[in-house]
């Protein structure tokens, strides 16, 4: 689980680079206002990947125990509307940076029994792009660990890349997700 949490933070950092570059280059979001929303929810060794298109289409895949499957559309919509899994306590804020068109906050708590953290980035203001990563090591062992990554306002290419890089999902599930969004 620690690897998944580290990967979540790395994903956020990579997304920030893509967000910054697209704003610097003046790239418009593909697919309409607001762009795509990408989510990973990891709870107790299972990972759920959700992609929501600007037109409301939503697809999801779930991976656990070395197997993966495309999720039912109704279940994906219900899950996408649920608040993300969060730990029982809120970590203290350790960094806060606000500049015109950009904000970043980092909350972190690390002790011998429980570690959790949250990174939130926003670029471009109101309809801009955001990255939120929540990670919670619920205690000894992996059974209570949770991680959540949500990236909003990305273009079609970033949505394709997100699905293609979801190594826990089989190529067949990845292809079905792309087809469900019309991105094949």
């Amino acid at each position: 689980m620690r690897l998944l949490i580290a990967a979540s933070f790395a994903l956020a950092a990579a997304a920030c680079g893509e967000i910054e570059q697209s704003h610097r280059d003046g790239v418009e979001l593909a697919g309409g206002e607001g762009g795509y929303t990408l989510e990973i929810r990891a709870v107790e060794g299972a990972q759920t990947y959700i992609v929501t298109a600007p037109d409301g289409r939503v697809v999801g895949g779930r991976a656990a125990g070395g197997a993966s499957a495309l999720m039912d559309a109704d279940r994906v919509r219900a899950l996408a509307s649920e608040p993300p899994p969060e730990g029982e306590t809120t970590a203290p804020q350790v960094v806060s940076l606000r500049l015109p068109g950009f904000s970043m906050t980092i909350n972190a708590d690390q002790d011998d029994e429980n570690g959790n953290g949250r990174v939130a980035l926003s670029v471009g203001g109101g309809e801009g792009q955001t990255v939120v990563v929540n990670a919670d090591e619920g205690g000894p062992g992996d059974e209570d660990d949770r991680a959540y990554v949500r990236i909003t306002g990305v273009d079609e290419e970033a949505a394709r890349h997100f699905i293609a890089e979801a190594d826990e999902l089989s190529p067949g599930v990845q292809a079905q997700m792309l087809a469900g969004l019309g991105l094949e």
Side-chain angles (χ1 to χ4, degrees):
M1 185 62 167
R2 290 179 196 269
L3 181 60
L4 180 61
I5 291 170
S8 298
F9 281 104
L11 177 61
C16 291
E18 288 182 27
I19 288 170
E20 181 181 329
Q21 184 64 42
S22 68
H23 278 280
R24 194 173 340 158
D25 294 344
V27 174
E28 289 294 318
L29 297 175
E33 188 175 308
Y36 288 79
T37 298
L38 315 173
E39 293 182 61
I40 302 173
R41 294 175 183 229
V43 179
E44 300 176 5
Q47 297 86 37
T48 303
Y49 298 85
I50 301 172
V51 180
T52 305
D55 64 7
R57 287 180 290 172
V58 62
V59 296
R62 183 168 169 82
S68 66
L70 187 69
M71 295 175 64
D72 174 77
D74 291 335
R75 177 64 186 131
V76 174
R77 285 188 198 290
L79 185 59
S81 67
E82 291 177 13
E86 294 192 25
E88 296 179 14
T89 61
T90 303
Q93 189 175 78
V94 294
V95 174
S96 178
L97 175 64
R98 296 190 192 327
L99 302 168
F102 175 83
S103 69
M104 175 180 67
T105 59
I106 300 174
N107 298 60
D109 182 25
Q110 181 68 40
D111 60 35
D112 293 337
E113 296 294 319
N114 183 14
N116 63 62
R118 180 177 194 275
V119 176
L121 303 164
S122 177
V123 178
E127 290 295 320
Q129 297 170 321
T130 63
V131 177
V132 175
V133 178
N134 289 327
D136 180 15
E137 292 183 27
D142 288 341
E143 64 277 356
D144 294 328
D145 291 352
R146 292 174 292 278
Y148 173 74
V149 178
R150 180 181 171 101
I151 304 169
T152 63
V154 301
D155 63 15
E156 289 179 0
E157 188 58 35
R160 277 188 197 94
H161 184 74
F162 175 78
I163 294 168
E165 291 298 313
D167 293 336
E168 291 80 11
L169 298 177
S170 71
V173 171
Q174 291 171 338
Q176 289 175 309
M177 290 177 69
L178 291 168
L181 294 168
L183 298 176
E184 63 276 348

